[in-house]
Amino acid sequence: MEKYVKTLILFFSLLASFSARASDGADGLSGSSSFDWSGVMDAIIEVESGGRADAKSGNSVGAMQITPVLVMECNNILRGRRSRKRFRLSDRRSVRKSREMFLLFQSRYNPRNSVEWAIRSWNGGLRYSVRRTQRYFEKVMAAMR
């Protein structure tokens, strides 16, 4: 349990070090651009779960295999944007809400809309290793074709 708490503290410390902010709409979900992430999200869904909204692997759940830490971070982003909206762990089983979480995460941490960064960070976190995410990146890119 102590290791889990230390990991969470480290994770949130790293998140706090990022200062990129995207402008938000009234619901706190909108980013500053109209970049179309649908192809990337579709490919991630295919690679992560084969399109199954009920998929589960460890702490990761749903079509996009979302972890509880990501749900918490999405809620922190919303809180920072003064939105009343909040996600629940059960929302990971909704493809629509999973896509909303992906878009929210991208709007906060990927202001340049880098497809490569989006794919690698989805698999390896904010400080991903190119080497460790290479195979996942190739699978998602192949699914996008």
Side-chain angles (χ1 to χ4, degrees), residues 116-118 120-130 132-133:
E116 180 177 1
W117 190 92
R120 291 184 187 277
S121 66
W122 195 254
N123 178 248
L126 292 174
R127 298 207 175 225
Y128 63 82
S129 158
V130 172
R132 290 183 179 153
T133 59

Side-chain angles (χ1 to χ4, degrees), residues 67-116:
T67 63
V69 172
L70 182 72
V71 175
M72 286 190 306
E73 179 53 23
C74 285
N75 288 335
N76 287 336
I77 294 168
L78 291 169
R79 195 173 296 109
R81 293 180 180 183
R82 298 176 192 226
S83 171
R84 291 181 174 222
K85 181 177 180 69
R86 295 293 182 271
F87 290 103
R88 298 180 183 153
L89 289 176
S90 60
D91 291 338
R92 300 178 296 170
R93 296 189 185 277
S94 164
V95 175
R96 181 181 58 80
K97 289 184 180 182
S98 293
R99 287 173 177 267
E100 283 180 29
M101 285 187 259
F102 177 88
L103 293 172
L104 181 62
F105 186 81
Q106 296 308 314
S107 74
R108 171 66 173 94
Y109 294 107
N110 191 5
R112 294 185 180 150
N113 296 323
S114 166
V115 171
E116 180 177 1

